Amino acid sequence: TQLLEQSPQFLSIQEGENLTVYCNSSSVFSSLQWYRQEPGEGPVLLVTVVTGGEVKKLKRLTFQFGDARKDSSLHITAAQTGDTGLYLCAGAKDQGAQKLVFGQGTRLTINP
Amino acid sequence: NAGVMQNPRHLVRRRGQEARLRCSPMKGHSHVYWYRQLPEEGLKFMVYLQKENIIDESGMPKERFSAEFPKEGPSILRIQQVVRGDSAAYFCASSPSGTPNGYTFGSGTRLTVV
């Protein structure tokens, strides 16, 4: 049973296009994080969202936490080849929970 | 400014051998987490440790796997009598507090069982 479902699993688009990646669950999370992972490396934290409805921007990346804290989205504007990578969402079930539940990831490829 | 250091980066073991994976957390971090990642999958929680204590091992297989974080030295994830299904990337993360909002991951150890 996958607690966090990411969609799409694979996405290949041209440089300059916009895209949105989704992370959905039937469970409520106290916080949710997005990571980016390069081949052969560990995940690198991009953002943490903790409040329902919260929106955070990181340059061309916009992250949103659903009002009910069950889902999240990552929107990339004017994608660049450097955005290529595996994007993982991860949630903490309870306040003070020490472990994260990860989605299976979205493999993003930006073509020049 | 060293991050989370894991070694070795790559480890090849024959079936039945033991694998020892090491993780040195970031300076000032006393909380260590181990995760396992199978190819094309997300990470799965294994165990959470503080110095000299196992806090949550709910993700650890019941047999052959053990973890420790001694007072001095790195955290060790030990897999005894490895099998092909243990082949995966094992990641360690550390944080200064007991909540995951401040995770920093290491680069992982890729274990291949032949």
Side-chain angles (χ1 to χ4, degrees), chain A residues 33 37 40-41 97-100, chain B residues 9 33 35 37 58 98 100 107:
Chain A
Q33 302 177 9
Q37 186 177 19
E41 296 296 328
Q98 298 94 359
K99 61 190 179 189
L100 291 175
Chain B
R9 290 293 303 270
Y33 312 80
Y35 285 78
Q37 185 177 36
S58 57
S107 296

Side-chain angles (χ1 to χ4, degrees), chain B residues 39-75:
Chain B
E40 299 301 324
E41 289 190 15
L43 283 71
K44 297 274 194 299
F45 170 79
M46 298 182 76
V47 62
Y48 161 44
L49 309 101
Q50 293 181 36
K51 284 285 188 182
E52 300 184 275
N53 288 302
I54 296 174
I55 308 302
D56 182 350
E57 56 180 348
S58 57
M60 287 279 270
K62 294 287 185 277
E63 297 177 349
R64 303 187 297 108
F65 285 72
S66 63
E68 63 177 9
F69 189 14
K71 188 176 180 181
E72 301 290 338
S75 176

Side-chain angles (χ1 to χ4, degrees), chain A residues 15-92:
Chain A
E15 195 169 24
E17 293 183 3
N18 302 332
L19 67 106
T20 302
V21 174
Y22 300 92
C23 176
N24 295 306
S25 177
S26 57
S27 301
V28 174
F29 289 90
S30 64
S31 67
L32 201 138
Q33 302 177 9
W34 285 91
Y35 291 83
R36 182 175 145 194
Q37 186 177 19
E38 303 279 0
E41 296 296 328
V44 175
L45 180 66
L46 297 174
V47 76
T48 299
V49 286
V50 296
T51 306
E54 182 176 3
V55 176
K56 281 192 174 179
K57 289 183 184 290
L58 187 66
K59 295 184 181 179
R60 294 176 294 100
L61 278 60
T62 302
F63 303 86
Q64 184 161 8
F65 200 12
D67 290 340
R69 289 187 287 126
K70 291 182 179 181
D71 53 82
S72 181
S73 63
L74 158 60
H75 182 79
I76 301 179
T77 303
Q80 299 176 358
T81 55
D83 296 328
T84 293
L86 179 67
Y87 289 81
L88 296 160
C89 67

Side-chain angles (χ1 to χ4, degrees), chain B residues 17-51:
Chain B
Q17 290 185 319
E18 178 180 283
R20 280 177 156 242
L21 287 62
R22 295 175 186 77
C23 169
S24 295
M26 283 186 70
K27 190 175 180 181
H29 287 192
S30 59
H31 301 257
V32 166
Y33 312 80
W34 285 93
Y35 285 78
R36 177 164 64 176
Q37 185 177 36
L38 295 173
E40 299 301 324
E41 289 190 15
L43 283 71
K44 297 274 194 299
F45 170 79
M46 298 182 76
V47 62
Y48 161 44
L49 309 101
Q50 293 181 36
K51 284 285 188 182

Side-chain angles (χ1 to χ4, degrees), chain B residues 7 10 21 31 33 40 57 70-71 79 83 86 89 100 105 107 109 112:
Chain B
N7 66 81
H10 299 275
L21 287 62
H31 301 257
Y33 312 80
E40 299 301 324
E57 56 180 348
K71 188 176 180 181
I79 311 172
V83 301
D86 297 333
F105 278 93
S107 296
T109 293
T112 302

